[in-house]
Amino acid sequence: MTSTHADYRLSQLDQLEAESIHISREVAAEFEKPVLMFSGGKDSIVMLRLAEKAFYPAKIPFPMLQVDTGYDFPEVLACRDNWVNRLGVRMIVASVEEAIANKVVVDDGKTSRNRLQIGTLLHAIEEEGFTAAFGGGRRDEEKARAKERVYSHRDEFGQWDPKMQRPELWSLYNGRLHAGEHMRIFPLSNWTELDIWHYIGQEGIEIPSIYFSHQRRVFERDGMLLSESDYNPLKPGEEVTERTVRFRTVGDLTLTGCVESPAATIPEIIDEVAASRITERGATRGDDRFSEAAMEDRKKEGYF
Amino acid sequence: MATNENTALSAAKTQGGQKMDMLRFATAGSVDDGKSTLIGRLLLDSKAIFEDQLAAVEQSSQSKGFDYTDLSLLTDGLRSEREQGITIDVAYRYFATPKRKFIIADTPGHVQYTRNMVTGASTADLGLVLVDARQGLTEQSRRHAVILSLLRVPHLVLAVNKMDLVDYDQATYDKIHAEFTSFATKLAIPDLEIIPISALKGDNVVVRSENMPWYEGQSLIHHLENVHVASDRDLVDTRFPVQYVVRPKSDDFHDYRGYAGMVAGGVLKPGDEVMALPSGLTSKIAGIDLHEKEIAEAFPPMSVTVRLEDDIDVSRGDMLCRPANAPKPSQDIDAMVCWMTNEPLRPRQKLAIKHTTRSGRALVKDIQYRLDVNTLHRDQETKELGLNEIGRVQLRTTVPLLCDPYSKNRTTGSFILIDEATGTTVGAGMINSGT
C-alpha cells in the first residue's frame, strides 16, 4: 500500500487522471455503444491507458476504432498492435482506401488523406451504430478547441455546432441523444502537451518510436521536413538527406513533418517541448496551416 | 521579460513534480474591462502562447488596422466571435508557473450570458472579476460577484484594471475597495483580495508594480500561485457516489466486484464501516484499488474502485457513506436554479434531472422567487424563470436524491436539469435542502 497523504493534496497529473477516469466510466455507464477513436499518437495512447485504469481488472468495455489512411507510419501500427494485444480490446479498422473504393468519400487527387478521414470516420460510426466516440483532443491544441465540451454533441450529419453546445457544469455530463446523433467524448480536454509528456514519463507508457530522435531520410517541402516514402514522390528540386529527427505528432505521413532533434528520452523531449516556441500542430501539420480557421472548419464537418 | 522566460522554462520542467498542484479559476468582465488583454498577458508571460499563435494574432491585428497587438485575439477563438468582436461562450485556457498549473474558464460578461458564467464558475476554485478603474463598480461587476458567491466559489479576486489610465491613483483604488468590501459582506465570499493592476502595461500582474508603491499586497500571479485551496474540500463527510460496478468475471479475478467512482467527500480507508444508500445496508471497506495499486486511503477528487467485505447489493446511482453520517434521501428538493434556455421554466413543468450518478425526473412544484442578481432583490411576483435568470425552486423528484446542501458539498449539492424533448441541459441547480 502507498503511504498516507499528509496534506491530502493531489498533483496536477493525479487530478487530471482522476477526472479522465471519471469521464471514461460515465461514458461506459451511460452510453449504449461507445467506441474509442485511436489515432496511434501519444494522446490517444494516454487516453487508452486511462481507460485501462478506469476498468481494471476488467477489460475495457468498448472497442477501438482506427481510421487507416493507407499512409500510416509502420512504427505507429506496430505500437498499436502491442497495445491491442496486451489489453485484448477489439480493434475496428476503417480504411480510407476502402471508403474511396466504395465511394463513401471522393479522392479528387487534391484532398488530403486527413480530410478524407472525416467521411470515412463518420461512415464507420454510422455503420456500427456507435453512440459515443472517445477522441484524444485537448483544449490547449488550438483556439477552436478551447470551447469544446468534454461531451461534444454531433447531429445526424456528425457536425459540430459551436453555437448550440450544451452547457457543461460541475462533473455532471449530459449524454442524452436522439436517434442518429452521437457524442464525441474528450477525456483529455484539460491536459496540455506537457501534461501528456509528463504522464507518459511517470507511467512508463509505450509510444511509437518515431517520437524519439532517430536517423531518417527526409526532404524539405513547404518549410516542413517530410519522410522519404513511396507515398511521397519527390517533386523537381526536392532532395533527400539523412538527418537526426523526431516527430511531434503522428498522422498521415505525406503531411506530417518531423523536426531535427537529438531528444531521445522522455526528459529530453520534455525539455525540448518546454523550450519550444511553436505549437506542435503549427510546426509539423500541413493540414492545419492553410487558414486561421482551418481547424474550426474541419471540426464543424465532423473532424476529431 | 528575461525573468519571465526563466520562470516559464522552469515551470515546464518542474511540471509533474509531486509538489505541483492545480488551480481552476473563472474570469468575468466585459470586453471593455480588458479581461482578454489580461488573459493574453498571463498566457504570454507564462509562455503558454507560442510564436505561431502570436504571429497569427499580430497578423490579424495589422489587418484590422491596429497599431498594437490585440491580445484579446488570442482568446476569442471562434470565427463567429471574431466577426462579431465578442466572446460568446466559455473557453478554457491553460498555463503553468513553477508552483501551479492553472485552468482558466474564460466567460463573457454580458448580461445575457449569465449561464456561461454559472458554467465557468461551477468548477472554479477562484473567481477573478475585472473592473475598469475609470468606471468603478458597475452593475455587471456586482452581478459577477453574486454569481460567484451563489456558486460557492471559495476565493474571489477583484482586479481593478487600467490603473495606468487613472495615473495609478490610490484614492481611485481605495474608493472601489471600500465600495466592494461593503457589498461583499452581503455575499458568501470567504476569501477576498482586491488588486490594482494594468493588464496592458503589466503592473502587478507578474511582479509588483513600482508605479503603485502605496499598494502593499501581492501581484496577481503571486496570489494565484499561493492561494490555499486544500481546505476547500470536505474531508470529513464521506460521500462516494457509485459510478460503475467493475466485474471482470475473468479467470484471474473471478470473484472480483468493485465499486468505481470519484470521491465526493471525506476520506475512505480499508476497514471503515460504510453504509450504502438508498438501501441502508452496511459493510466494511475491504480494499481500495487504483488500477493495479491497492491504496491506503482515498479522498476528493480521486477516482478509485472500492471493494466491500460483504456482498451487498450496490449499483450505479447508489452512494457509500458512513452509517452515522449520511445524507437523507430526499424527493422534495429546495434549490436555487439558473435557467439556461429561451423557453421559461414554469410550475408543473417536467424535466429530467441528473444528480451525482443518479438520473430521474423532476416536477417543478413552485417557483418561490426570482433573484435579481444586480440588487439581490427577491421578486415573488414572477412565477417563471426566463433565460439567464436565477430563482428559488421547489422540485419533486421520481427518485430520492442522496444530497447535501450545496453550501456543504458542491458535488452532492448540485444537479442539472435536462429538457426531455431536446435533450439539452436547460438548468443548473444548487440545493438548499432536501426533505
Side-chain angles (χ1 to χ4, degrees):
Chain A
M1 285 198 200
T2 51
S3 65
T4 299
H5 288 254
D7 55 357
Y8 297 104
R9 289 215 292 189
L10 290 178
S11 73
Q12 96 279 14
L13 290 183
D14 289 342
Q15 287 190 50
L16 292 168
E17 178 189 71
E19 179 182 77
S20 303
I21 288 176
H22 172 79
I23 293 162
S24 305
R25 288 169 172 168
E26 272 310 275
V27 172
E30 289 203 309
F31 287 89
E32 218 166 300
K33 243 187 137 182
V35 67
L36 186 145
M37 296 191 292
F38 189 76
S39 72
K42 65 185 191 313
D43 299 319
S44 63
I45 289 174
V46 165
M47 176 167 71
L48 185 63
R49 168 70 171 177
L50 291 161
E52 176 194 353
K53 285 194 164 193
F55 304 103
Y56 184 87
K59 280 186 185 170
I60 297 173
F62 38 79
M64 291 158 65
L65 169 67
Q66 185 179 32
V67 179
D68 175 3
T69 61
Y71 297 162
D72 295 300
F73 290 93
E75 295 91 338
V76 173
L77 298 179
C79 177
R80 172 197 75 187
D81 292 343
N82 287 346
W83 274 94
V84 171
N85 292 335
R86 188 171 71 74
L87 297 178
V89 185
R90 183 165 77 98
M91 179 84 203
I92 302 159
V93 177
S95 149
V96 174
E97 297 282 345
E98 268 174 46
I100 294 168
N102 297 333
K103 306 219 162 34
V104 170
V105 293
V106 180
D107 185 8
D108 56 6
K110 286 178 287 187
T111 313
S112 79
R113 283 290 163 113
N114 232 332
R115 197 136 191 143
L116 293 177
Q117 275 189 76
I118 299 171
T120 311
L121 175 80
L122 291 175
H123 183 70
I125 288 174
E126 204 174 291
E127 284 263 283
E128 297 260 355
F130 291 121
T131 52
F134 285 95
R138 308 187 319 264
R139 289 187 185 129
D140 79 322
E141 273 178 85
E142 212 277 338
K143 277 199 285 187
R145 278 194 167 161
K147 312 208 163 177
E148 181 78 78
R149 302 293 191 261
V150 172
Y151 275 32
S152 179
H153 181 260
R154 302 302 159 103
D155 66 13
E156 307 93 300
F157 303 99
Q159 297 180 108
W160 180 62
D161 182 352
K163 284 190 172 169
M164 289 294 290
Q165 296 201 88
R166 295 173 179 177
E168 203 157 73
L169 298 109
W170 298 290
S171 48
L172 292 170
Y173 302 104
N174 172 3
R176 293 249 170 169
L177 291 176
H178 289 115
E181 299 174 344
H182 74 277
M183 202 71 86
R184 292 292 167 84
I185 314 286
F186 297 104
L188 303 180
S189 287
N190 286 323
W191 297 60
T192 61
E193 186 183 10
L194 272 170
D195 293 328
I196 294 284
W197 281 115
H198 280 290
Y199 191 71
I200 289 168
Q202 176 184 298
E203 299 280 305
I205 292 174
E206 186 199 347
I207 53 170
S209 57
I210 61 170
Y211 279 112
F212 301 97
S213 181
H214 59 283
Q215 297 295 309
R216 182 174 288 265
R217 290 174 59 78
V218 294
F219 63 93
E220 248 181 79
R221 179 177 293 167
D222 304 329
M224 288 195 303
L225 281 182
L226 295 179
S227 191
E228 181 192 37
S229 155
D230 293 345
Y231 304 126
N232 263 345
L234 293 181
K235 292 178 185 167
E238 290 175 342
E239 196 185 321
V240 173
T241 52
E242 186 166 293
R243 304 211 206 166
T244 307
V245 297
R246 67 176 204 88
F247 288 84
R248 286 183 71 183
T249 65
V250 304
D252 174 344
L253 67 73
T254 63
L255 275 168
T256 307
C258 49
V259 290
E260 287 195 85
S261 163
T265 64
I266 301 280
E268 284 167 10
I269 290 175
I270 288 171
D271 283 353
E272 190 183 282
V273 171
S276 165
R277 303 303 314 127
I278 295 178
T279 59
E280 51 193 340
R281 286 189 172 269
T284 58
R285 288 295 274 266
D287 42 341
D288 287 328
R289 302 204 308 181
F290 299 123
S291 83
E292 208 193 334
M295 176 74 108
E296 186 179 341
D297 290 339
R298 281 187 299 143
K299 274 189 72 67
K300 282 183 182 164
E301 283 176 39
Y303 183 70
F304 305 109
Chain B
M1 286 303 264
T3 40
N4 292 337
E5 194 143 354
N6 291 335
T7 310
L9 276 179
S10 48
K13 281 183 189 168
T14 49
Q15 247 202 59
Q18 283 303 304
K19 292 239 171 71
M20 177 142 178
D21 63 3
M22 199 155 89
L23 182 87
R24 294 176 193 245
F25 68 96
T27 55
S30 74
V31 200
D32 310 325
D33 296 330
K35 180 175 56 103
S36 297
T37 310
L38 176 63
I39 293 173
R41 175 156 295 282
L42 290 173
L43 300 181
L44 199 64
D45 285 359
S46 63
K47 300 286 170 199
I49 292 291
F50 294 98
E51 268 171 19
D52 51 334
Q53 293 172 311
L54 191 61
V57 165
E58 276 167 354
Q59 207 179 2
S60 5
S61 296
Q62 264 176 17
S63 68
K64 287 187 177 170
F66 300 152
D67 54 2
Y68 59 94
T69 301
D70 183 359
L71 290 178
S72 69
L73 294 172
L74 282 169
T75 58
D76 298 344
L78 301 173
R79 182 159 42 196
S80 40
E81 290 174 324
R82 288 197 295 276
E83 283 161 4
Q84 294 168 34
I86 53 156
T87 319
I88 56 167
D89 209 321
V90 188
Y92 295 88
R93 321 273 168 205
Y94 304 84
F95 71 99
T97 69
K99 280 201 160 171
R100 272 191 172 150
K101 168 184 169 128
F102 297 95
I103 301 180
I104 314 176
D106 179 18
T107 66
H110 324 277
V111 60
Q112 64 268 43
Y113 295 119
T114 295
R115 70 167 209 170
N116 291 333
M117 190 165 169
V118 167
T119 303
S122 73
T123 50
D125 305 303
L126 180 144
L128 175 63
V129 177
L130 266 92
V131 293
D132 183 332
R134 297 169 303 175
Q135 311 285 324
L137 285 191
T138 58
E139 198 175 278
Q140 189 171 280
S141 26
R142 289 192 185 88
R143 182 171 66 241
H144 293 152
V146 169
I147 293 171
L148 290 165
S149 146
L150 267 172
L151 270 290
R152 297 278 166 176
V153 177
H155 308 273
L156 177 68
V157 173
L158 181 75
V160 182
N161 192 22
K162 305 197 182 180
M163 285 302 290
D164 54 314
L165 298 182
V166 296
D167 297 324
Y168 302 104
D169 175 38
Q170 182 178 4
T172 307
Y173 168 81
D174 285 346
K175 185 168 168 284
I176 295 171
H177 189 290
E179 209 182 327
F180 192 80
T181 313
S182 138
F183 174 68
T185 53
K186 294 183 225 162
L187 305 173
I189 299 171
D191 174 39
L192 171 66
E193 215 38 60
I194 303 177
I195 306 176
I197 64 163
S198 165
L200 192 69
K201 301 280 170 66
D203 296 280
N204 285 335
V205 176
V206 177
V207 286
R208 283 188 53 181
S209 166
E210 287 167 13
N211 293 317
M212 291 175 273
W214 45 264
Y215 171 69
E216 290 175 349
Q218 301 300 338
S219 72
L220 178 61
I221 277 285
H222 187 274
H223 181 67
L224 294 176
E225 279 183 322
N226 291 287
V227 63
H228 182 70
V229 290
S231 313
D232 297 338
R233 292 161 304 166
D234 178 357
L235 293 172
V236 176
D237 308 297
T238 300
R239 302 286 186 265
F240 186 74
V242 175
Q243 224 190 333
Y244 189 89
V245 181
V246 178
R247 295 206 64 186
K249 294 177 197 159
S250 60
D251 292 343
D252 292 345
F253 297 94
H254 194 264
D255 295 322
Y256 187 98
R257 188 185 179 92
Y259 304 106
M262 187 180 244
V263 184
V267 180
L268 286 83
K269 295 185 179 115
D272 280 355
E273 202 180 335
V274 288
M275 181 164 80
L277 287 179
S279 73
L281 297 171
T282 57
S283 181
K284 273 186 181 168
I285 296 179
I288 304 171
D289 299 330
L290 186 71
H291 190 215
E292 288 169 324
K293 278 184 302 198
E294 242 194 287
I295 55 173
E297 51 186 354
F299 52 89
M302 290 171 76
S303 278
V304 296
T305 304
V306 174
R307 283 175 286 113
L308 298 181
E309 286 185 0
D310 310 282
D311 199 2
I312 59 173
D313 185 28
V314 179
S315 52
R316 175 176 167 85
D318 293 357
M319 183 184 282
L320 299 180
C321 51
R322 304 275 279 165
N325 178 351
K328 190 164 150 247
S330 320
Q331 280 178 272
D332 290 294
I333 306 295
D334 174 35
M336 296 304 290
V337 168
C338 172
W339 194 243
M340 304 180 145
T341 194
N342 287 317
E343 186 62 27
L345 177 74
R346 298 193 177 95
R348 308 306 302 163
Q349 202 167 328
K350 289 187 183 112
L351 297 144
I353 187 168
K354 188 172 180 188
H355 170 262
T356 64
T357 56
R358 288 202 135 206
S359 294
R361 301 182 74 205
L363 169 73
V364 181
K365 293 192 73 177
D366 188 26
I367 297 173
Q368 242 177 300
Y369 60 79
R370 189 177 58 82
L371 182 76
D372 185 325
V373 286
N374 299 315
T375 60
L376 294 177
H377 173 72
R378 297 171 176 187
D379 175 7
Q380 297 179 335
E381 303 303 308
T382 322
K383 280 295 168 196
E384 58 177 49
L385 288 183
L387 172 65
N388 289 307
E389 291 185 338
I390 296 173
R392 187 161 177 180
V393 174
Q394 262 72 46
L395 299 172
R396 171 81 184 169
T397 58
T398 50
V399 292
L401 303 188
L402 311 168
C403 62
D404 293 294
Y406 184 75
S407 57
K408 263 189 75 191
N409 189 315
R410 289 170 82 187
T411 306
T412 57
S414 55
F415 61 82
I416 54 170
L417 296 169
I418 298 163
D419 183 302
E420 293 184 306
T422 62
T424 312
T425 305
V426 290
M430 291 145 281
I431 296 169
N432 297 320
S433 63
T435 45

